[in-house]
Amino acid sequence: MKENIAANLLYYRKKAKLSQEKLAELAGVARQSISNYEKAKTLPDSKTLASLAQTLGVTVDDLLKGKNAIPSNLKYRTSNSFNEKPEFVTNFLGLLEKYATLERAIGITPYIPESVPCHEVEGNDENIRKIAEKFRYHLKLGDGPILNLFEAVEQIGLKVLRKSIPIPGFFGLSVCVPDKGAFVLINTYQISIERQLFTLGHELGHLICHRSEYNQCVMGEGTELEEKVADYFASYLLVPQKEFERFYKYTKDIKKLKRHFRVSYQVILKRLAEMKIIDYGKEQAKLCAIYKKEYNASLKRSMELPPMLDYSDFPQNERYENLVCMALNLNKISQEESADFLNQIDKTISQFLEARQNILTLGDEAATYTIEKIT
């Protein structure tokens, strides 16, 4: 109940273009109460709920019912459904709203990549490679290695935020709202730059190939096929085949190949296996043995084979921070608002983790699985 009200209240307040302060004033409640309702910390009594509904121009039913907790025009993608726990989507919708507000203040049109539906690799491999090639040219990257994919996609307007979120197995998610644009969140917690770059490519694959599936995120037939499409797209976006074949003639060394294309060694191994040049399992075992001998430690799947990309070469959230500075310099936001924009990412992550802990405390095994298995 609290989660439904939280999600609905935030949605209808944003739709009415009211701040928490203004809604509180019009409904005759404290601003902190509105904040607590939207965070699902407290539940309004029937009188307050009726007042909020009247102020927002909706019915009490609209604020209570679960199926409309997520706005119908919001499209998001994860490997599992957020529908049962809408506070997760609510939190990130709020973060997207902040980012979109900055763009509107400066006069930037929200960006959404072109949609080219494709739902399985088999029979579509050549088509997916062409989709990846077309997107590379849209980024003006040509056929060579991508120096910084984060920067390249931000330059065309894609909203990307990277943040440390200590949840095992969570790499990222993507959201798409018609009037606010496309948004990708990438987890950096104990995750290599190579894996973060692949996550961005993977989510781009979903944004381009699976737009119609975004708000139908349920486990079931088709999910695994679409994940393979996104992986395939990411692989060819990061490592174009023509350049790969050219450089492979120059060297067969896995470390040199991964360093040249600035990707994980796993991407290189899988490409070579696709080309039937190597046996993936045997090559992986060989690399693990070499790593064990060199470092006296096991090369786990979550680890990257040295040499690794340096975090300092990939600064986080530069576009978002630059937009805050631009809006402040143009007097579109105040000093206090700029501080709030910069703190918003940490607030949202805290709310996400707090909501997850509440679920774990309640012993909701299904919800626990949902959060821990997002890819």
Side-chain angles (χ1 to χ4, degrees), residues 309-345:
L309 293 174
D310 193 331
Y311 276 81
S312 64
D313 292 334
F314 298 85
Q316 293 183 193
N317 309 329
E318 281 194 318
R319 181 177 187 263
Y320 182 83
E321 292 172 2
N322 287 339
L323 289 179
V324 173
C325 291
M326 289 173 65
L328 181 61
N329 290 337
L330 292 170
N331 295 318
K332 300 294 185 179
I333 58 174
S334 65
Q335 288 277 2
E336 292 76 14
E337 287 173 319
S338 69
D340 183 53
F341 274 110
L342 293 173
N343 291 332
Q344 184 65 27
I345 303 173

Side-chain angles (χ1 to χ4, degrees), residues 6-34:
N8 290 326
L9 184 59
L10 176 65
Y11 170 60
Y12 287 116
R13 178 173 67 77
K14 293 290 186 181
K15 189 175 181 181
K17 298 181 179 178
L18 294 175
S19 64
Q20 288 185 342
E21 290 82 0
K22 191 63 178 176
L23 176 59
E25 177 188 336
L26 294 172
V29 299
R31 189 209 66 81
Q32 188 58 45
S33 294
I34 300 294

Side-chain angles (χ1 to χ4, degrees), residues 132-367:
E133 181 181 347
K134 183 177 179 181
F135 191 72
R136 283 181 64 93
Y137 279 94
H138 181 53
L139 295 174
K140 299 182 174 146
L141 295 173
D143 292 322
I146 304 175
L147 295 180
N148 188 334
L149 183 61
F150 304 122
E151 184 177 80
V153 297
E154 286 182 325
Q155 285 178 353
I156 63 171
L158 185 75
K159 300 174 185 63
V160 179
L161 288 175
R162 294 157 62 208
K163 192 65 183 175
S164 177
I165 308 171
I167 297 179
F170 173 66
F171 295 103
L173 61 78
S174 49
V175 176
C176 187
V177 181
D179 62 339
K180 295 181 179 66
F183 167 64
V184 177
L185 176 76
I186 296 172
N187 190 9
T188 65
Y189 181 72
Q190 297 181 348
I191 297 174
S192 68
I193 290 292
E194 288 87 347
R195 186 60 179 83
Q196 292 177 42
L197 288 166
F198 192 83
T199 296
L200 177 55
H202 180 94
E203 295 303 331
L204 281 166
H206 282 302
L207 281 166
I208 293 170
C209 298
H210 307 138
R211 191 85 51 78
S212 63
E213 309 298 323
Y214 262 51
N215 60 352
Q216 301 172 28
C217 305
V218 294
M219 292 297 287
E221 189 177 357
T223 300
E224 186 178 346
L225 293 177
E226 290 173 356
E227 289 299 298
K228 287 180 179 178
V229 168
D231 280 349
Y232 201 82
F233 173 89
S235 174
Y236 283 88
L237 174 67
L238 293 165
V239 184
Q241 185 65 14
K242 184 177 179 181
E243 173 64 8
F244 184 79
E245 290 175 358
R246 184 197 72 79
F247 199 73
Y248 189 70
K249 289 177 182 177
Y250 167 73
T251 179
K252 308 294 189 286
D253 188 294
I254 300 297
K255 289 185 177 182
K256 288 181 180 179
L257 286 164
K258 73 178 277 313
R259 184 170 55 197
H260 177 71
F261 288 102
R262 303 167 78 82
V263 296
S264 168
Y265 80 97
Q266 293 278 355
V267 173
I268 301 299
L269 289 187
K270 288 176 181 176
R271 179 64 60 82
L272 291 171
E274 282 173 13
M275 295 168 68
K276 302 190 185 308
I277 293 174
I278 65 165
D279 179 289
Y280 178 87
K282 289 181 180 178
E283 196 66 30
Q284 175 73 32
K286 188 191 301 182
L287 288 173
C288 286
I290 294 171
Y291 187 88
K292 180 76 172 177
K293 185 176 181 180
E294 288 185 3
Y295 301 99
N296 194 30
S298 298
L299 178 62
K300 299 177 181 177
R301 277 202 174 272
S302 59
M303 297 168 60
E304 182 51 52
L305 187 69
M308 297 166 59
L309 293 174
D310 193 331
Y311 276 81
S312 64
D313 292 334
F314 298 85
Q316 293 183 193
N317 309 329
E318 281 194 318
R319 181 177 187 263
Y320 182 83
E321 292 172 2
N322 287 339
L323 289 179
V324 173
C325 291
M326 289 173 65
L328 181 61
N329 290 337
L330 292 170
N331 295 318
K332 300 294 185 179
I333 58 174
S334 65
Q335 288 277 2
E336 292 76 14
E337 287 173 319
S338 69
D340 183 53
F341 274 110
L342 293 173
N343 291 332
Q344 184 65 27
I345 303 173
D346 290 324
K347 288 179 186 177
T348 301
I349 299 305
S350 296
Q351 290 166 1
F352 184 89
L353 294 172
E354 181 183 342
R356 174 179 181 264
Q357 186 56 47
N358 288 342
I359 290 173
L360 295 176
T361 302
L362 291 170
D364 187 335
E365 294 180 3

